[in-house]
């Protein structure tokens, strides 16, 4: 793979040349693009995130206070904290980082155009197209709501049912038993696809992007930065997080929640069922610290919640929320500083 060099030294008329170190952040960025579907991406994205975003958070100043506050909040013995971390989601974290990568590429493209580095802008635009295409593909797979998928399952179900009838007619009961099990499996999958597609069409969320919330069970404060009409995590994650023990199970809205680093620095991003979330009280809307806040949100509205950037609202097809007193503010969100 050929790396694209587009960091700050692009402004130099000589480009990078021999003076560019192999550790250039953009080399890491380009590598990240091709690791979206890699089995090692989870660990890589964490390192990438820390490298790219730690500059926004003074970690040395924070560490002692963070860990002290976390022990205080969760009772000091770490047991409640460990339970909260069952909802930690690497998939949600990666989804946010890919979104950041999109914003970063868009900014780099505009910067390259501004300084008339058109070849670099073209290469970056090609990379942006690649990642946007991959995101669309992953989104469709995640939702499981495409007509093609539903049609394929329906056709396959008809075929297996026809084979089952032939097996019964020929008195091949061993084969018939296998096909009967396959029919049952396909029927369940087809129903799941239909339910998920219907959920995406008719979902009503109790919480909105940027809203400050509190976890009903674990008590930590968080901010909504993503939402799904049903649980879109893997089966193994749902088993670990005890999703089946929820009163509404996986068939309810789930939210990507940024967790205040002063509450639990290890949790970072949680994936939480709607039934476990409560709106933050006025007294709970104080200072909130997280390394992702600056590129996902503009700042706080008059109610103390965060205002999502335009691209984040578009990602989830959500309208701009106007808190009382914000109606006269300009919708100046055509661009974002990534």
């Amino acid at each position: 793979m050929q790396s694209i060099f587009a960091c700050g030294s692009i402004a130099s008329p000589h480009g990078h040349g021999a003076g560019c170190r192999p550790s250039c952040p953009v080399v890491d960025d380009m590598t990240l693009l091709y690791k979206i579907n890699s089995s090692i991406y989870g660990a890589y994205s964490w390192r990438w995130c820390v490298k790219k975003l730690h500059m926004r958070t003074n970690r040395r100043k924070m560490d002692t206070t963070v860990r002290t506050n976390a022990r205080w909040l969760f009772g000091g013995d770490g047991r409640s904290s460990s339970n909260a971390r069952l909802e930690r989601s690497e998939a949600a974290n990666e989804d946010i980082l890919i979104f950041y990568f999109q914003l970063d590429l868009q900014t780099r493209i505009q910067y390259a155009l501004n300084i008339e580095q058109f070849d670099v802008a073209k290469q970056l635009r090609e990379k942006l197209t690649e990642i946007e295409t991959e995101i669309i593909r992953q989104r469709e797979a995640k939702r499981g709501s495409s007509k093609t998928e539903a049609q394929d399952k329906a056709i396959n179900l008809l075929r297996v049912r026809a084979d089952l009838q032939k097996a019964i007619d020929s008195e091949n009961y061993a084969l018939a038993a296998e096909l009967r099990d396959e029919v049952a499996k396909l029927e369940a999958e087809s129903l799941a696809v239909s339910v998920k597609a219907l959920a995406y069409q008719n979902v009503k969320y109790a919480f909105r992007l940027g809203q400050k919330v509190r976890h009903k069970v674990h008590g930590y404060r968080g901010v909504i930065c993503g939402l799904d009409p049903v649980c879109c995590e893997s089966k193994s994650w749902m088993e670990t997080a005890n999703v089946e023990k929820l009163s509404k199970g996986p068939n309810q809205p789930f939210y990507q929640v940024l967790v205040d680093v002063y509450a639990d620095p290890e949790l970072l991003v949680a994936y939480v069922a709607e039934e476990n979330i409560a709106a933050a009280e006025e007294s709970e809307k104080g200072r909130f610290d997280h390394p992702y806040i600056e590129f996902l949100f503009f700042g706080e509205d008059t109610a103390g919640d965060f205002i999502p950037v335009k691209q984040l609202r578009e990602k989830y097809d959500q309208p701009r929320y106007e808190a009382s007193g914000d109606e006269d503010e300009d919708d100046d969100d055509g661009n974002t500083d990534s």
Side-chain angles (χ1 to χ4, degrees):
M1 180 190 71
Q2 182 179 4
S3 297
I4 298 174
F5 300 104
C7 67
S9 59
I10 192 174
S12 168
H14 302 294
H16 281 269
C20 180
R21 296 173 298 165
S23 59
C24 172
V26 181
V27 177
D28 293 341
D29 287 351
M30 295 301 108
T31 305
L32 174 66
L33 174 63
Y34 288 93
K35 289 185 178 292
I36 292 175
N37 294 315
S38 170
S39 60
I40 65 171
Y41 176 63
Y44 183 90
S45 65
W46 180 268
R47 294 195 300 272
W48 179 80
C49 166
V50 171
K51 181 175 182 179
K52 293 290 287 183
L53 301 177
H54 83 283
M55 67 188 70
R56 304 173 189 263
T57 308
N58 189 335
R59 304 203 54 94
R60 286 182 298 179
K61 180 179 178 182
M62 180 185 299
D63 278 348
T64 302
T65 307
V66 164
R67 298 186 184 280
T68 300
N69 287 354
R71 286 195 296 273
W72 173 80
L73 177 65
F74 292 111
D77 59 2
R79 288 178 295 178
S80 297
S81 179
S82 296
N83 291 334
R85 290 171 193 169
L86 295 179
E87 294 179 335
R88 179 170 56 189
S89 173
E90 286 299 323
N93 187 50
E94 291 169 9
D95 185 60
I96 296 169
L97 292 178
I98 293 171
F99 177 72
Y100 170 73
F101 187 58
Q102 277 184 287
L103 299 183
D104 190 52
L105 275 177
Q106 291 168 358
T107 301
R108 292 176 189 277
I109 290 171
Q110 187 58 54
Y111 180 67
L113 291 173
N114 289 345
I115 61 174
E116 299 184 356
Q117 292 280 350
F118 300 117
D119 290 341
V120 172
K122 179 181 178 182
Q123 293 176 47
L124 289 171
R125 192 177 288 112
E126 290 172 353
K127 295 303 176 185
L128 180 61
T129 300
E130 288 179 28
I131 196 171
E132 288 178 341
T133 300
E134 177 64 16
I135 287 171
I136 293 173
R137 189 195 66 78
Q138 290 188 0
R139 189 175 301 165
E140 288 299 320
K142 178 180 178 182
R143 294 186 176 191
S145 58
S146 67
K147 289 184 178 180
T148 302
E149 182 181 6
Q151 290 171 351
D152 289 345
K153 288 188 179 298
I155 292 172
N156 197 24
L157 184 58
L158 290 174
R159 180 186 60 77
V160 176
R161 281 176 175 167
D163 292 341
L164 173 60
Q165 188 58 50
K166 290 179 182 178
I168 294 173
D169 292 342
S170 62
E171 299 183 357
N172 188 345
Y173 299 116
L175 177 59
E178 294 178 5
L179 291 173
R180 190 177 293 111
D181 291 341
E182 188 174 352
V183 166
K185 179 182 177 182
L186 287 172
E187 287 176 339
E189 291 176 353
S190 181
L191 179 61
V193 169
S194 300
V195 168
K196 194 174 273 191
L198 188 62
Y200 269 90
Q201 293 174 3
N202 302 323
V203 64
K204 292 183 179 180
Y205 296 105
F207 305 96
R208 64 184 181 277
L209 294 172
Q211 186 173 2
K212 291 181 179 178
V213 296
R214 171 177 48 82
H215 198 292
K216 290 181 179 179
V217 178
H218 305 303
Y220 62 72
R221 294 188 307 137
V223 172
I224 304 293
C225 68
L227 25 80
D228 293 318
V230 294
C231 183
C232 294
E233 269 284 1
S234 66
K235 183 178 180 180
S236 61
W237 183 93
M238 286 191 276
E239 290 174 352
T240 300
N242 299 315
V243 171
E244 291 299 332
K245 294 182 180 180
L246 297 170
S247 62
K248 298 180 182 179
N251 294 318
Q252 62 176 306
F254 272 69
Y255 298 84
Q256 294 179 5
V257 178
L258 303 182
V259 180
D260 188 351
V261 293
Y262 283 93
D264 187 346
E266 303 296 330
L267 187 48
L268 198 67
V269 181
Y271 195 57
V272 188
E274 187 170 270
E275 68 180 72
N276 281 340
I277 296 176
E281 300 291 338
E282 193 67 30
S283 61
E284 298 173 314
K285 290 190 175 183
R287 177 179 175 179
F288 186 93
D289 287 300
H290 196 284
Y292 297 171
I293 287 294
E294 291 187 22
F295 67 86
L296 292 174
F297 306 103
F298 287 117
E300 295 184 345
D301 59 24
T302 56
D305 295 311
F306 285 103
I307 304 171
V309 298
K310 181 179 180 181
Q311 293 91 329
L312 186 63
R313 299 200 314 269
E314 290 175 344
K315 176 182 178 180
Y316 291 101
D317 193 25
Q318 296 294 302
R320 178 185 172 103
Y321 173 79
E322 300 289 355
S324 178
D326 288 343
E327 289 82 358
D328 295 332
E329 292 185 4
D330 294 331
D331 189 8
D332 184 20
D333 56 6
N335 297 299
T336 182
D337 180 11
S338 62

